[in-house]
Amino acid sequence: MSYSLSVEVVKQICHEHDKYWEEQKQELWRYKSVYETQFWNKESQLNSQLYVQTSDGYGFIESYIASLFSRNPGVIVKSGLKGRGNAQIAQHLANDFLIFQRKELEAAARLALIYPNSFVKLLPTGQEDIYRKIDLTAIPPWEVITDRNARRWDEQRFVGHKYYMTVIDANRIYGKKRWNSVFKKDFFDRYQREYEKEDGDIGDYDFDYYKYIEMVEIYDIATGMVYHWTPNWSDGEKFLDKYEIPFMDPKGDPVLPIIPFYFNRLPDEPLRGYSAMKRIYDQLYETNIIRTFQANAVRKCSRQYLVKKGAMDEEQMAQVTSGIDGLFIEIDEETMDGIVRPLPQNPTPPELQYYYQQVQVDKDKGSILAPFTRGESTRASATEITALAAYTSSEVGRLARERDNTIEDLARAYLYMLALYIEEDDTRELLSIAGEPTVVTPMDLDEMFIVFAQDQAQTPLSESVKKREFLQSIPLLQQLGVPTMTILEEMVRALNLPEDFVMAAEENNARISAAQAALAGEAIQADAVEMSQNPQAAGGPQGPANLQGILPGALPFS
């Protein structure tokens, strides 16, 4: 019996997907709010209460981003076991694509840190330039349908993408149909809008630019088919379109344009991610409450006094409150005792400050970054800082390896998709690869390339150590015979120096070589045979006798 994905199965898959993320929505909204410094709900705030929010959530996430993306992404491509294709061309094309995708990769990394995980998707752009026909976008986790029962990403039965498409785009792609258009909803609309709009409520935006359909794009990996389905056409009883997955690797396996981005996974369910923000959310919650309580307590610490009624008239009270230095005020009382007394105040309990310190300690334990890496001053010794740096570098290095896995999978998927575009368009453009004019063909990319991310698991701390060790090893490399230009090229790459340094050195070496060659040519002297046969070379006088050796049949002069 042949297997095929039916509309009813797609409906069930979408239902389970929506149910799963609906249960996660409130928790994810809290993580989003604390990152955006919108911890307190303004609608529920009291006018008489002061609310304070800290930026610890933002600093927690961005400290990781700064460590993980200290330079542009890049890959190193090696040939596979079969030795086909051209690894140099593949590496050049992959890096040319990745250098423009740093912002999207950073956006995906933020999503993967705030939420359980994220995804990136390769999309067609429609541009004429064959090498700009594919672009990248970051996708939040609730838009991607995964087979959470699978143990590995490549063992899934299906992968889908659920998103909104404008009616204009739907008419262009699928032809004009009777769409049951809806209002586009954000995933967190319930929490960030004053009211919810019904599915069919278009309101004042009753034209196609603001009409959407809910699109589901399902990749059936078992059969190699793609299904497009929407509940907003034909009552959701038919597929809009279905066709074979167009992208294949050299082994014949389907290549999906959706690449996962995980930093942490649940051990027993590998396809379920784990939010980094979740580790410290309780501490951030307590910090905001403590700061709010302290802010309101400080506002109530104003100096207030009790005055005996009738002891001073209005003019005397005005003089007291004026605050004039050296002012004398006369009162009609025999004794000054009991006229003015300060209003007693309740001091803030010391337990509050102790509790705040404990909360900060717990928060720092949840963060794998040492305090000095966030710019905080500590009294740690040099030995302790070295140990903390090694610990932080190793932990951030683990996250960097997860980042590298995504970059490597992305580069492979891009090369396989690009090979299909080059073959279909029959494009043979002349490119400059390593300074040589090269024509790229589909056969150059027909290989299971081995892809490594540049600077594997590199972090700022490990990078600084690597730079120092490289500079210290330069004399040894020179003694071992490594060419100076090779050392210079690596120095420019490792220290992020301008590429002009290498070009200037090559030009300078060329001028020096030409000058040395010219000096060597001038220094060459004629030998004895040449001088005997050619007296002119020896500077002798020119005359008939000097032509004897070069004129045939010439007779010697007596």
Side-chain angles (χ1 to χ4, degrees), residues 440-455:
V440 181
T441 65
M443 296 302 298
D444 294 327
L445 306 179
D446 184 22
E447 173 62 300
M448 296 295 296
F449 292 112
I450 302 174
V451 181
F452 302 96
Q454 288 182 355
D455 302 315

Side-chain angles (χ1 to χ4, degrees), residues 8 57 71 106 142 163 220 260 295 347 379 403 437 491 535 547:
E8 295 301 324
R71 59 174 59 189
E106 286 187 10
W142 51 84
Y163 55 95
D220 187 357
R379 296 183 180 180
R403 172 209 62 195
M491 183 182 298
L547 301 178

Side-chain angles (χ1 to χ4, degrees), residues 8 274 342 361 535:
E8 295 301 324
Y274 180 80
V361 171

Side-chain angles (χ1 to χ4, degrees), residues 393-410:
S393 180
S394 63
E395 291 292 338
V396 177
R398 182 188 67 81
L399 301 183
R401 286 192 293 273
E402 298 293 338
R403 172 209 62 195
D404 293 342
N405 289 337
T406 299
I407 294 176
E408 293 163 5
D409 294 341
L410 173 62

